[in-house]
Amino acid sequence: MRYSAFQILKEGITGNKGWKPAWREPEPKAEYDILIVGGGGHGLATAHYLAKEHGITNVAVLEKGWLGSGNIGRNTTIIRSNYLLPGNEPFYELSLKLWEGLEQDFNYNAMVSQRGILNLAHSDAQRDAYTRRGNAMRMAGADAQLLDADGVRNMVPFLNFDNARFPIKAGLWQPRGGTVRHDAVAWGYARGADSRGVDIIQNCEVTGFQMQNGQCVGVHSSKGSIKAKKVAVCVAGSSSRVMEQAGLRLPIESHVLQAFVSEGLKPTIPGVVTFGAGHFYVSQSDKGGLVFGGDLDGYNSYAQRGNLPVVEDVCEGGVALMPMIGRARLLRMWGGVMDMSMDGSPFIDKTSIPGLYFNGGWCYGGFKATPASGWCYAHLLATDNPHPTATELRLDRFMTGRMIDEKGVGAQPNLH
Amino acid sequence: MIINHPLLGPRDAAEFVYLGDAALLHRPNKDDENAAQAFLEYQYLRDNPAGVHRELWYHEQGDRSWLVVTRNTLTHEITDVQLAKDVARAEGRSR
Protein backbone atom coordinates (compact mmCIF):
# COMPACT_ATOMS: atom_id res chain seq x y z
CA MET A 1 0.00 0.00 0.00
CA ARG A 2 1.26 3.40 -0.97
CA TYR A 3 0.94 6.03 1.75
CA SER A 4 -0.54 9.34 0.59
CA ALA A 5 -2.92 12.08 1.64
CA PHE A 6 -5.56 10.44 -0.54
CA GLN A 7 -5.05 7.12 1.28
CA ILE A 8 -5.52 8.80 4.67
CA LEU A 9 -8.73 10.42 3.42
CA LYS A 10 -10.00 7.15 1.97
CA GLU A 11 -9.20 5.15 5.11
CA GLY A 12 -10.67 7.90 7.24
CA ILE A 13 -14.10 7.66 5.63
CA THR A 14 -14.08 3.84 5.52
CA GLY A 15 -13.30 3.33 9.20
CA ASN A 16 -9.50 2.81 8.93
CA LYS A 17 -10.04 -0.89 8.24
CA GLY A 18 -7.70 -1.18 5.27
CA TRP A 19 -4.32 -0.47 6.89
CA LYS A 20 -1.93 -3.41 6.71
CA PRO A 21 1.18 -4.14 8.80
CA ALA A 22 4.15 -2.29 7.33
CA TRP A 23 6.10 -5.52 6.82
CA ARG A 24 5.49 -9.30 6.87
CA GLU A 25 6.85 -11.69 9.48
CA PRO A 26 8.17 -14.57 7.35
CA GLU A 27 9.99 -17.71 8.43
CA PRO A 28 13.49 -18.01 6.95
CA LYS A 29 13.95 -19.91 3.70
CA ALA A 30 16.75 -22.49 3.39
CA GLU A 31 18.86 -20.33 1.10
CA TYR A 32 19.25 -16.72 -0.01
CA ASP A 33 21.48 -14.83 -2.40
CA ILE A 34 22.46 -12.38 0.32
CA LEU A 35 22.01 -12.60 4.08
CA ILE A 36 22.27 -9.39 6.06
CA VAL A 37 23.15 -9.96 9.71
CA GLY A 38 21.72 -7.14 11.78
CA GLY A 39 18.36 -5.42 11.30
CA GLY A 40 19.35 -1.96 12.42
CA GLY A 41 19.22 1.15 10.28
CA HIS A 42 22.26 0.24 8.20
CA GLY A 43 21.19 -3.37 7.59
CA LEU A 44 17.67 -2.37 6.59
CA ALA A 45 18.97 0.43 4.37
CA THR A 46 21.30 -2.07 2.69
CA ALA A 47 18.38 -4.42 2.04
CA HIS A 48 16.24 -1.57 0.69
CA TYR A 49 18.89 -0.35 -1.75
CA LEU A 50 19.85 -3.91 -2.80
CA ALA A 51 16.24 -4.47 -3.81
CA LYS A 52 15.49 -1.04 -5.22
CA GLU A 53 18.75 0.00 -6.90
CA HIS A 54 20.23 -3.38 -7.82
CA GLY A 55 17.15 -5.58 -8.24
CA ILE A 56 18.46 -8.21 -5.82
CA THR A 57 15.44 -9.33 -3.80
CA ASN A 58 16.35 -12.86 -2.69
CA VAL A 59 17.67 -11.31 0.51
CA ALA A 60 16.99 -11.81 4.21
CA VAL A 61 17.75 -9.51 7.14
CA LEU A 62 18.36 -11.37 10.41
CA GLU A 63 17.72 -9.39 13.58
CA LYS A 64 18.48 -10.72 17.06
CA GLY A 65 15.86 -8.55 18.77
CA TRP A 66 13.14 -6.44 17.18
CA LEU A 67 13.57 -3.82 14.47
CA GLY A 68 14.91 -0.58 15.84
CA SER A 69 15.99 -2.14 19.15
CA GLY A 70 19.63 -1.14 18.74
CA ASN A 71 21.37 2.15 18.09
CA ILE A 72 18.90 3.27 15.39
CA GLY A 73 16.47 3.78 18.28
CA ARG A 74 19.00 5.11 20.81
CA ASN A 75 20.80 7.96 19.05
CA THR A 76 20.39 11.74 19.14
CA THR A 77 19.00 11.89 15.56
CA ILE A 78 21.40 14.45 14.06
CA ILE A 79 22.26 14.50 10.36
CA ARG A 80 25.14 16.55 8.94
CA SER A 81 28.08 16.29 6.55
CA ASN A 82 30.63 18.56 8.23
CA TYR A 83 33.70 16.36 7.91
CA LEU A 84 37.20 17.37 6.87
CA LEU A 85 39.12 14.49 5.31
CA PRO A 86 38.77 13.38 1.68
CA GLY A 87 38.13 9.75 2.72
CA ASN A 88 35.07 10.81 4.69
CA GLU A 89 33.52 14.03 3.40
CA PRO A 90 32.18 12.84 -0.01
CA PHE A 91 30.66 9.81 1.72
CA TYR A 92 28.81 11.88 4.32
CA GLU A 93 27.71 14.39 1.70
CA LEU A 94 26.23 11.50 -0.32
CA SER A 95 24.43 10.52 2.87
CA LEU A 96 23.00 14.00 3.36
CA LYS A 97 21.80 14.07 -0.26
CA LEU A 98 20.09 10.72 0.27
CA TRP A 99 18.45 12.04 3.46
CA GLU A 100 17.04 14.92 1.43
CA GLY A 101 15.19 12.57 -0.91
CA LEU A 102 14.59 9.76 1.56
CA GLU A 103 10.92 10.19 2.36
CA GLN A 104 9.94 10.26 -1.32
CA ASP A 105 12.27 7.34 -1.98
CA PHE A 106 10.77 4.97 0.57
CA ASN A 107 7.30 6.60 0.82
CA TYR A 108 7.38 7.01 4.59
CA ASN A 109 7.35 10.06 6.83
CA ALA A 110 10.73 10.12 8.56
CA MET A 111 10.30 13.74 9.66
CA VAL A 112 13.54 14.86 8.00
CA SER A 113 14.02 18.39 9.30
CA GLN A 114 16.90 20.43 7.87
CA ARG A 115 17.02 22.96 10.67
CA GLY A 116 20.78 23.45 10.42
CA ILE A 117 23.78 22.65 12.59
CA LEU A 118 26.05 25.22 14.21
CA ASN A 119 29.54 24.31 15.50
CA LEU A 120 30.86 27.01 17.83
CA ALA A 121 34.48 28.18 17.86
CA HIS A 122 36.01 29.62 21.03
CA SER A 123 39.52 30.63 19.97
CA ASP A 124 41.29 32.03 16.93
CA ALA A 125 42.89 28.65 16.25
CA GLN A 126 39.54 26.93 16.34
CA ARG A 127 38.08 29.50 13.94
CA ASP A 128 40.94 28.81 11.54
CA ALA A 129 40.30 25.07 11.82
CA TYR A 130 36.61 25.60 11.09
CA THR A 131 37.46 27.82 8.11
CA ARG A 132 39.51 24.97 6.71
CA ARG A 133 36.79 22.46 7.44
CA GLY A 134 34.16 24.65 5.80
CA ASN A 135 36.33 24.96 2.70
CA ALA A 136 36.81 21.18 2.59
CA MET A 137 33.05 20.73 2.85
CA ARG A 138 32.34 23.15 0.02
CA MET A 139 34.93 21.49 -2.19
CA ALA A 140 33.04 18.22 -1.71
CA GLY A 141 29.78 19.87 -2.75
CA ALA A 142 28.39 20.41 0.74
CA ASP A 143 27.20 23.72 2.15
CA ALA A 144 29.05 25.62 4.85
CA GLN A 145 29.08 29.16 6.09
CA LEU A 146 31.45 30.77 8.57
CA LEU A 147 29.62 33.12 10.94
CA ASP A 148 31.36 35.76 13.05
CA ALA A 149 30.34 36.35 16.66
CA ASP A 150 27.57 38.76 15.64
CA GLY A 151 26.25 36.28 13.12
CA VAL A 152 26.07 33.63 15.83
CA ARG A 153 24.44 36.13 18.20
CA ASN A 154 21.71 36.85 15.67
CA MET A 155 20.95 33.19 15.31
CA VAL A 156 21.17 31.96 18.92
CA PRO A 157 21.17 35.01 21.22
CA PHE A 158 20.77 32.96 24.40
CA LEU A 159 24.31 31.55 24.47
CA ASN A 160 26.97 32.59 26.98
CA PHE A 161 29.04 34.73 24.56
CA ASP A 162 31.36 36.49 26.96
CA ASN A 163 32.57 33.61 29.08
CA ALA A 164 36.07 34.62 30.26
CA ARG A 165 37.59 31.27 29.38
CA PHE A 166 35.60 30.21 26.33
CA PRO A 167 34.17 33.28 24.57
CA ILE A 168 32.23 32.50 21.39
CA LYS A 169 34.31 33.83 18.50
CA ALA A 170 32.68 32.25 15.46
CA GLY A 171 30.50 29.44 14.22
CA LEU A 172 30.55 26.99 11.33
CA TRP A 173 26.98 26.80 10.06
CA GLN A 174 25.68 24.02 7.85
CA PRO A 175 22.09 24.94 6.94
CA ARG A 176 21.35 21.54 5.36
CA GLY A 177 22.13 19.63 8.57
CA GLY A 178 19.32 18.82 10.96
CA THR A 179 17.43 16.02 12.65
CA VAL A 180 15.35 13.01 11.61
CA ARG A 181 12.83 10.85 13.44
CA HIS A 182 15.17 7.89 14.08
CA ASP A 183 12.70 5.00 14.55
CA ALA A 184 10.84 6.00 11.40
CA VAL A 185 14.07 5.53 9.45
CA ALA A 186 14.21 1.87 10.48
CA TRP A 187 10.50 1.37 9.81
CA GLY A 188 10.60 3.13 6.45
CA TYR A 189 13.57 1.11 5.21
CA ALA A 190 12.03 -2.11 6.54
CA ARG A 191 8.79 -1.38 4.70
CA GLY A 192 10.67 -0.43 1.52
CA ALA A 193 12.72 -3.63 1.56
CA ASP A 194 9.82 -5.87 2.55
CA SER A 195 7.53 -4.55 -0.18
CA ARG A 196 10.13 -5.58 -2.76
CA GLY A 197 10.38 -9.14 -1.43
CA VAL A 198 13.14 -9.00 1.18
CA ASP A 199 12.48 -11.26 4.19
CA ILE A 200 12.92 -9.45 7.51
CA ILE A 201 13.31 -12.04 10.24
CA GLN A 202 13.16 -10.75 13.81
CA ASN A 203 14.13 -12.60 16.99
CA CYS A 204 16.70 -14.58 15.02
CA GLU A 205 20.18 -14.52 16.52
CA VAL A 206 23.18 -15.57 14.44
CA THR A 207 25.19 -18.07 16.48
CA GLY A 208 27.92 -18.94 13.97
CA PHE A 209 29.04 -18.94 10.36
CA GLN A 210 28.98 -21.89 7.97
CA MET A 211 32.41 -22.31 6.43
CA GLN A 212 33.32 -24.51 3.46
CA ASN A 213 36.87 -24.64 2.06
CA GLY A 214 37.69 -21.38 3.78
CA GLN A 215 34.64 -19.68 2.33
CA CYS A 216 31.57 -18.38 4.14
CA VAL A 217 28.45 -20.12 2.77
CA GLY A 218 25.82 -19.22 5.35
CA VAL A 219 25.06 -18.85 9.03
CA HIS A 220 23.79 -20.87 11.96
CA SER A 221 21.00 -19.11 13.77
CA SER A 222 18.44 -19.57 16.50
CA LYS A 223 15.97 -20.38 13.67
CA GLY A 224 18.22 -23.01 12.08
CA SER A 225 20.96 -22.99 9.47
CA ILE A 226 20.52 -20.68 6.50
CA LYS A 227 22.67 -20.84 3.35
CA ALA A 228 23.69 -17.77 1.42
CA LYS A 229 25.99 -16.86 -1.46
CA LYS A 230 27.08 -13.76 0.46
CA VAL A 231 26.85 -12.97 4.16
CA ALA A 232 26.88 -9.27 5.06
CA VAL A 233 27.52 -8.45 8.71
CA CYS A 234 26.14 -5.10 9.82
CA VAL A 235 25.96 -5.13 13.61
CA ALA A 236 27.82 -2.02 14.83
CA GLY A 237 28.09 -2.14 18.61
CA SER A 238 28.49 -5.92 18.59
CA SER A 239 30.88 -6.25 15.64
CA SER A 240 33.68 -7.88 17.65
CA ARG A 241 31.31 -10.45 19.17
CA VAL A 242 29.84 -11.48 15.82
CA MET A 243 33.07 -11.45 13.80
CA GLU A 244 34.82 -13.47 16.51
CA GLN A 245 32.59 -16.37 15.42
CA ALA A 246 34.35 -16.18 12.06
CA GLY A 247 37.74 -16.04 13.79
CA LEU A 248 38.41 -12.39 12.93
CA ARG A 249 39.83 -9.77 15.31
CA LEU A 250 38.83 -6.20 14.49
CA PRO A 251 40.40 -2.76 15.00
CA ILE A 252 37.42 -1.91 17.21
CA GLU A 253 36.61 -1.39 20.89
CA SER A 254 33.03 -1.21 22.17
CA HIS A 255 32.32 1.87 24.27
CA VAL A 256 29.23 3.33 25.90
CA LEU A 257 27.89 6.75 24.89
CA GLN A 258 25.12 8.33 26.94
CA ALA A 259 22.29 10.49 25.66
CA PHE A 260 19.80 12.68 27.52
CA VAL A 261 16.36 14.21 27.12
CA SER A 262 15.02 17.04 29.24
CA GLU A 263 11.40 17.71 30.12
CA GLY A 264 9.37 19.27 27.31
CA LEU A 265 9.92 23.01 26.84
CA LYS A 266 8.48 25.62 24.52
CA PRO A 267 10.39 26.05 21.22
CA THR A 268 13.72 27.60 22.16
CA ILE A 269 16.65 26.04 20.28
CA PRO A 270 16.33 26.56 16.52
CA GLY A 271 18.72 23.94 15.14
CA VAL A 272 21.55 21.77 16.38
CA VAL A 273 24.20 23.58 18.44
CA THR A 274 27.55 22.12 19.45
CA PHE A 275 29.93 23.47 22.10
CA GLY A 276 33.49 23.62 20.76
CA ALA A 277 35.29 23.92 24.10
CA GLY A 278 33.69 21.08 26.02
CA HIS A 279 31.85 18.27 24.38
CA PHE A 280 28.14 19.05 24.30
CA TYR A 281 25.62 19.01 21.48
CA VAL A 282 21.94 19.77 21.69
CA SER A 283 18.80 19.99 19.58
CA GLN A 284 15.15 20.28 20.52
CA SER A 285 12.74 17.53 19.55
CA ASP A 286 9.34 18.25 18.06
CA LYS A 287 7.84 17.23 21.41
CA GLY A 288 9.88 20.00 23.08
CA GLY A 289 12.49 17.97 24.96
CA LEU A 290 16.11 19.03 24.67
CA VAL A 291 18.00 16.08 23.19
CA PHE A 292 21.66 16.26 24.09
CA GLY A 293 24.86 14.34 24.64
CA GLY A 294 28.60 14.64 25.06
CA ASP A 295 31.64 12.45 25.53
CA LEU A 296 31.95 8.70 25.75
CA ASP A 297 32.28 7.27 29.24
CA GLY A 298 35.70 6.18 28.03
CA TYR A 299 36.04 2.51 28.96
CA ASN A 300 35.06 -0.71 27.16
CA SER A 301 31.43 -1.53 27.81
CA TYR A 302 28.55 -3.53 26.40
CA ALA A 303 26.23 -2.51 29.23
CA GLN A 304 24.06 0.07 27.35
CA ARG A 305 24.27 2.31 30.39
CA GLY A 306 26.92 4.68 31.66
CA ASN A 307 28.03 6.23 34.92
CA LEU A 308 27.41 9.49 36.74
CA PRO A 309 30.72 11.38 36.21
CA VAL A 310 29.92 11.76 32.50
CA VAL A 311 26.35 12.83 33.27
CA GLU A 312 27.80 15.60 35.41
CA ASP A 313 30.37 16.54 32.77
CA VAL A 314 27.80 16.75 29.96
CA CYS A 315 25.40 18.83 32.05
CA GLU A 316 28.23 21.18 33.08
CA GLY A 317 29.11 21.67 29.43
CA GLY A 318 25.49 22.43 28.61
CA VAL A 319 25.05 24.97 31.37
CA ALA A 320 28.38 26.64 30.56
CA LEU A 321 27.23 27.11 26.95
CA MET A 322 23.59 28.05 27.51
CA PRO A 323 22.96 28.98 31.15
CA MET A 324 19.20 29.22 30.52
CA ILE A 325 18.84 25.43 30.45
CA GLY A 326 20.17 25.16 34.00
CA ARG A 327 16.65 24.96 35.38
CA ALA A 328 15.35 22.38 32.92
CA ARG A 329 14.98 18.98 34.51
CA LEU A 330 16.42 15.81 33.02
CA LEU A 331 13.67 13.45 31.99
CA ARG A 332 15.53 10.44 30.66
CA MET A 333 19.05 9.24 29.98
CA TRP A 334 20.32 6.06 28.43
CA GLY A 335 23.43 4.52 26.90
CA GLY A 336 24.24 2.90 23.60
CA VAL A 337 27.15 0.65 22.63
CA MET A 338 29.46 2.18 20.01
CA ASP A 339 31.85 0.40 17.69
CA MET A 340 34.83 2.70 18.33
CA SER A 341 37.38 2.13 15.58
CA MET A 342 41.08 2.82 15.93
CA ASP A 343 41.01 5.98 13.80
CA GLY A 344 37.44 7.10 14.43
CA SER A 345 36.25 6.21 10.93
CA PRO A 346 34.05 3.33 9.73
CA PHE A 347 34.50 0.25 7.56
CA ILE A 348 32.52 -0.98 4.54
CA ASP A 349 34.61 -3.76 3.08
CA LYS A 350 35.12 -7.39 2.14
CA THR A 351 36.88 -9.48 4.77
CA SER A 352 39.76 -11.92 4.35
CA ILE A 353 37.13 -14.70 4.16
CA PRO A 354 35.47 -14.99 0.71
CA GLY A 355 31.71 -14.56 0.91
CA LEU A 356 31.85 -12.61 4.18
CA TYR A 357 31.42 -8.82 4.16
CA PHE A 358 31.71 -6.33 6.97
CA ASN A 359 30.10 -2.98 7.78
CA GLY A 360 30.86 -1.41 11.17
CA GLY A 361 33.13 0.81 13.21
CA TRP A 362 30.70 3.73 13.01
CA CYS A 363 31.87 5.21 16.33
CA TYR A 364 29.16 7.64 17.46
CA GLY A 365 28.42 8.86 13.92
CA GLY A 366 26.42 5.97 12.55
CA PHE A 367 22.97 7.52 12.39
CA LYS A 368 23.74 10.32 9.93
CA ALA A 369 25.53 7.76 7.75
CA THR A 370 22.57 5.35 7.55
CA PRO A 371 21.48 6.04 3.93
CA ALA A 372 25.00 6.20 2.46
CA SER A 373 26.11 3.19 4.48
CA GLY A 374 23.24 1.16 3.05
CA TRP A 375 23.79 2.61 -0.42
CA CYS A 376 27.53 1.81 -0.46
CA TYR A 377 27.20 -1.58 1.25
CA ALA A 378 24.53 -2.59 -1.29
CA HIS A 379 26.85 -1.43 -4.08
CA LEU A 380 29.71 -3.52 -2.65
CA LEU A 381 27.52 -6.60 -2.22
CA ALA A 382 25.97 -6.32 -5.68
CA THR A 383 29.10 -5.51 -7.69
CA ASP A 384 31.96 -6.71 -5.46
CA ASN A 385 33.54 -3.28 -5.94
CA PRO A 386 33.48 -0.48 -3.39
CA HIS A 387 31.28 2.53 -4.13
CA PRO A 388 33.41 5.51 -5.30
CA THR A 389 32.69 7.45 -2.08
CA ALA A 390 33.63 4.52 0.17
CA THR A 391 36.90 3.34 -1.34
CA GLU A 392 38.92 4.36 1.70
CA LEU A 393 36.68 2.75 4.35
CA ARG A 394 38.78 -0.40 4.28
CA LEU A 395 39.64 -2.90 6.97
CA ASP A 396 43.30 -3.08 5.93
CA ARG A 397 43.97 0.66 6.16
CA PHE A 398 45.97 0.25 9.38
CA MET A 399 48.31 -2.13 7.57
CA THR A 400 48.76 0.20 4.62
CA GLY A 401 49.00 3.39 6.68
CA ARG A 402 45.89 5.01 5.17
CA MET A 403 44.12 5.87 8.39
CA ILE A 404 41.27 8.42 8.27
CA ASP A 405 41.85 10.12 11.60
CA GLU A 406 39.60 13.21 11.68
CA LYS A 407 40.68 14.13 15.20
CA GLY A 408 44.32 13.17 14.88
CA VAL A 409 44.56 11.36 18.20
CA GLY A 410 45.89 8.03 16.95
CA ALA A 411 44.90 4.52 17.97
CA GLN A 412 43.08 5.56 21.14
CA PRO A 413 39.39 4.77 20.52
CA ASN A 414 37.98 6.49 23.62
CA LEU A 415 39.42 9.84 22.45
CA HIS A 416 37.83 9.90 18.98
CA MET B 1 32.48 2.84 39.42
CA ILE B 2 34.79 2.48 42.40
CA ILE B 3 38.28 1.12 41.78
CA ASN B 4 39.82 -0.51 44.82
CA HIS B 5 43.40 0.76 44.51
CA PRO B 6 45.88 -1.73 46.04
CA LEU B 7 47.74 1.08 47.86
CA LEU B 8 45.14 3.82 48.34
CA GLY B 9 41.93 1.88 48.86
CA PRO B 10 38.61 2.55 47.12
CA ARG B 11 38.81 5.51 44.70
CA ASP B 12 36.26 6.99 42.29
CA ALA B 13 36.91 5.89 38.69
CA ALA B 14 36.69 9.56 37.67
CA GLU B 15 40.20 10.01 39.14
CA PHE B 16 41.57 7.59 36.56
CA VAL B 17 42.34 7.68 32.86
CA TYR B 18 41.58 4.62 30.78
CA LEU B 19 44.02 3.20 28.26
CA GLY B 20 42.60 -0.15 27.13
CA ASP B 21 43.22 -3.89 27.05
CA ALA B 22 45.98 -5.03 29.44
CA ALA B 23 47.51 -6.94 26.51
CA LEU B 24 49.11 -3.55 25.75
CA LEU B 25 51.65 -4.48 28.45
CA HIS B 26 53.09 -7.02 26.02
CA ARG B 27 54.84 -4.85 23.49
CA PRO B 28 56.32 -6.92 20.62
CA ASN B 29 60.07 -7.06 20.03
CA LYS B 30 61.05 -4.84 17.12
CA ASP B 31 63.85 -7.23 16.14
CA ASP B 32 61.55 -10.21 15.62
CA GLU B 33 61.18 -11.59 12.12
CA ASN B 34 57.45 -10.81 11.90
CA ALA B 35 57.66 -7.59 13.90
CA ALA B 36 55.57 -5.53 11.43
CA GLN B 37 52.62 -7.90 11.69
CA ALA B 38 53.06 -8.21 15.47
CA PHE B 39 53.03 -4.43 15.91
CA LEU B 40 49.96 -4.09 13.66
CA GLU B 41 48.09 -6.54 15.87
CA TYR B 42 49.44 -4.99 19.08
CA GLN B 43 48.56 -1.44 18.11
CA TYR B 44 45.30 -1.82 16.20
CA LEU B 45 43.52 -5.13 16.82
CA ARG B 46 41.53 -5.88 19.98
CA ASP B 47 39.74 -8.90 21.48
CA ASN B 48 37.02 -6.53 22.78
CA PRO B 49 35.23 -9.20 24.85
CA ALA B 50 31.69 -8.94 26.23
CA GLY B 51 32.37 -10.14 29.75
CA VAL B 52 35.57 -10.28 31.80
CA HIS B 53 38.15 -7.80 30.53
CA ARG B 54 41.64 -7.05 31.93
CA GLU B 55 42.46 -3.42 31.28
CA LEU B 56 44.91 -0.64 32.08
CA TRP B 57 43.84 2.37 34.17
CA TYR B 58 46.15 5.24 35.12
CA HIS B 59 45.60 7.03 38.44
CA GLU B 60 46.20 10.49 37.00
CA GLN B 61 44.57 12.44 39.82
CA GLY B 62 46.16 10.27 42.49
CA ASP B 63 49.50 8.53 42.86
CA ARG B 64 50.04 8.21 39.07
CA SER B 65 50.37 4.47 39.18
CA TRP B 66 49.23 2.17 36.39
CA LEU B 67 46.73 -0.50 37.42
CA VAL B 68 45.54 -3.72 35.82
CA VAL B 69 41.80 -3.81 36.55
CA THR B 70 39.70 -6.91 35.88
CA ARG B 71 36.21 -5.72 35.06
CA ASN B 72 33.10 -7.17 33.47
CA THR B 73 32.13 -5.12 30.41
CA LEU B 74 28.51 -6.32 30.61
CA THR B 75 27.92 -5.30 34.24
CA HIS B 76 30.83 -2.90 35.05
CA GLU B 77 31.60 -5.08 38.09
CA ILE B 78 35.26 -4.92 39.11
CA THR B 79 36.62 -8.18 40.47
CA ASP B 80 40.36 -7.59 40.78
CA VAL B 81 42.81 -4.68 40.87
CA GLN B 82 46.60 -4.98 40.82
CA LEU B 83 49.50 -2.63 40.27
CA ALA B 84 50.63 -3.02 36.66
CA LYS B 85 54.18 -3.02 38.03
CA ASP B 86 53.42 -6.16 40.08
CA VAL B 87 51.75 -7.83 37.09
CA ALA B 88 54.79 -7.17 34.90
CA ARG B 89 57.22 -8.40 37.58
CA ALA B 90 55.18 -11.57 38.11
CA GLU B 91 55.68 -12.21 34.40
CA GLY B 92 59.43 -12.04 34.96
CA ARG B 93 60.04 -8.53 33.67
CA SER B 94 62.32 -6.04 35.41
CA ARG B 95 59.61 -3.35 35.51
Side-chain angles (χ1 to χ4, degrees):
Chain A
M1 179 196 290
R2 200 179 151 73
Y3 294 157
S4 63
F6 171 74
Q7 198 70 33
I8 293 173
L9 197 67
K10 184 182 153 207
E11 289 298 331
I13 56 178
T14 55
N16 285 311
K17 289 185 183 127
W19 300 115
K20 300 271 186 319
W23 55 83
R24 300 163 294 134
E25 294 202 8
E27 286 301 309
K29 293 190 278 183
E31 186 168 357
Y32 289 94
D33 288 341
I34 296 177
L35 262 186
I36 297 169
V37 181
H42 292 214
L44 294 167
T46 306
H48 172 79
Y49 291 126
L50 270 174
K52 185 157 187 283
E53 303 300 325
H54 300 279
I56 301 173
T57 55
N58 188 20
V59 175
V61 180
L62 307 182
E63 166 57 41
K64 177 183 166 186
W66 64 94
L67 292 192
S69 59
N71 288 337
I72 188 71
R74 303 177 80 85
N75 59 74
T76 44
T77 76
I78 296 166
I79 60 169
R80 57 187 172 87
S81 67
N82 52 2
Y83 282 73
L84 173 69
L85 298 178
N88 272 337
E89 177 56 19
F91 173 82
Y92 287 102
E93 178 52 23
L94 168 68
S95 204
L96 197 51
K97 289 203 171 77
L98 289 170
W99 281 119
E100 288 174 325
L102 184 68
E103 292 163 307
Q104 287 69 34
D105 181 68
F106 64 23
N107 180 229
Y108 201 89
N109 181 11
M111 296 164 70
V112 176
S113 166
Q114 293 183 287
R115 51 185 77 178
I117 178 164
L118 178 66
N119 303 126
L120 299 170
H122 305 269
S123 66
D124 292 343
Q126 200 167 24
R127 180 175 48 208
D128 291 348
Y130 281 172
T131 308
R132 183 181 171 214
R133 178 181 297 258
N135 287 336
M137 289 162 65
R138 293 174 74 130
M139 284 169 73
D143 57 324
Q145 222 176 309
L146 193 72
L147 304 178
D148 59 12
D150 285 339
V152 175
R153 206 183 285 266
N154 281 338
M155 191 177 287
V156 276
F158 50 81
L159 299 181
N160 186 2
F161 282 86
D162 303 315
N163 183 304
R165 246 179 114 188
F166 304 119
I168 293 171
K169 298 228 168 189
L172 182 62
W173 168 240
Q174 184 179 27
R176 285 164 64 243
T179 61
V180 181
R181 174 71 211 282
H182 52 358
D183 300 304
V185 176
W187 301 332
Y189 275 127
R191 181 168 164 275
D194 178 87
S195 67
R196 289 175 176 81
V198 173
D199 284 352
I200 296 166
I201 300 158
Q202 302 181 66
N203 299 307
C204 179
E205 181 176 4
V206 169
T207 52
F209 295 95
Q210 297 184 46
M211 297 289 178
Q212 219 170 58
N213 305 324
Q215 194 168 341
C216 183
V217 295
V219 302
H220 302 292
S221 80
S222 54
K223 295 197 174 182
S225 296
I226 308 170
K227 292 253 181 232
K229 296 193 181 79
K230 293 177 180 175
V231 176
V233 174
C234 196
V235 294
S238 300
S239 293
S240 300
R241 297 166 84 177
V242 172
M243 297 307 276
E244 188 193 11
Q245 295 166 357
L248 295 178
R249 283 175 91 213
L250 299 175
I252 286 174
E253 286 180 5
S254 293
H255 283 258
V256 59
L257 178 69
Q258 301 192 65
F260 310 83
V261 174
S262 80
E263 60 187 327
L265 304 170
K266 291 199 172 179
T268 173
I269 295 175
V272 182
V273 181
T274 75
F275 186 26
H279 195 167
F280 174 81
Y281 53 90
V282 63
S283 64
Q284 189 168 19
S285 78
D286 293 334
K287 284 192 287 186
L290 305 181
V291 184
F292 60 97
D295 274 323
L296 296 172
D297 269 43
Y299 43 80
N300 286 42
S301 173
Y302 285 94
Q304 290 195 319
R305 61 180 169 76
N307 276 303
L308 291 170
V310 168
V311 178
E312 192 177 11
D313 183 63
V314 170
C315 292
E316 278 173 359
V319 174
L321 179 66
M322 39 183 84
M324 70 168 182
I325 67 170
R327 294 178 67 184
R329 280 166 296 191
L330 259 183
L331 190 63
R332 293 186 288 131
M333 54 200 231
W334 65 95
V337 182
M338 310 289 124
D339 260 17
M340 295 304 299
S341 69
M342 287 290 157
D343 59 357
S345 293
F347 308 98
I348 302 176
D349 201 3
K350 304 171 192 176
T351 66
S352 54
I353 299 170
L356 183 61
Y357 297 75
F358 178 70
N359 174 322
W362 291 98
C363 300
Y364 36 73
F367 179 70
K368 77 178 86 66
T370 305
S373 169
W375 185 275
C376 295
Y377 205 23
H379 184 96
L380 175 71
L381 289 163
T383 66
D384 265 327
N385 285 309
H387 187 270
T389 62
T391 51
E392 297 192 31
L393 308 180
R394 298 178 54 132
L395 271 168
D396 68 355
R397 62 176 181 258
F398 301 102
M399 177 60 125
T400 57
R402 293 183 172 84
M403 280 74 95
I404 314 172
D405 192 342
E406 289 272 343
K407 256 186 154 180
V409 295
Q412 187 62 52
N414 59 349
L415 301 181
H416 281 292
Chain B
M1 290 189 297
I2 303 287
I3 295 177
N4 194 8
H5 193 296
L7 303 176
L8 304 175
R11 309 298 307 179
D12 191 327
E15 293 177 6
F16 294 78
V17 174
Y18 180 82
L19 182 65
D21 195 315
L24 291 168
L25 284 172
H26 305 126
R27 191 184 173 84
N29 185 346
K30 69 175 172 52
D31 298 324
D32 281 356
E33 200 179 322
N34 56 356
Q37 182 63 29
F39 268 103
L40 174 80
E41 290 176 14
Y42 169 82
Q43 178 79 337
Y44 295 113
L45 301 188
R46 298 284 184 272
D47 288 339
N48 194 21
V52 176
H53 190 223
R54 289 178 77 235
E55 52 202 21
L56 289 166
W57 291 74
Y58 176 59
H59 198 189
E60 189 180 44
Q61 293 175 49
D63 69 346
R64 301 197 172 185
S65 57
W66 282 96
L67 304 182
V68 175
V69 176
T70 307
R71 190 178 59 93
N72 190 321
T73 58
L74 287 165
T75 62
H76 297 165
E77 184 195 9
I78 294 172
T79 47
D80 187 47
V81 184
Q82 296 179 54
L83 290 173
K85 188 171 66 179
D86 293 345
V87 173
R89 280 186 181 146
E91 288 170 1
R93 291 168 34 171
S94 57
R95 63 191 174 86

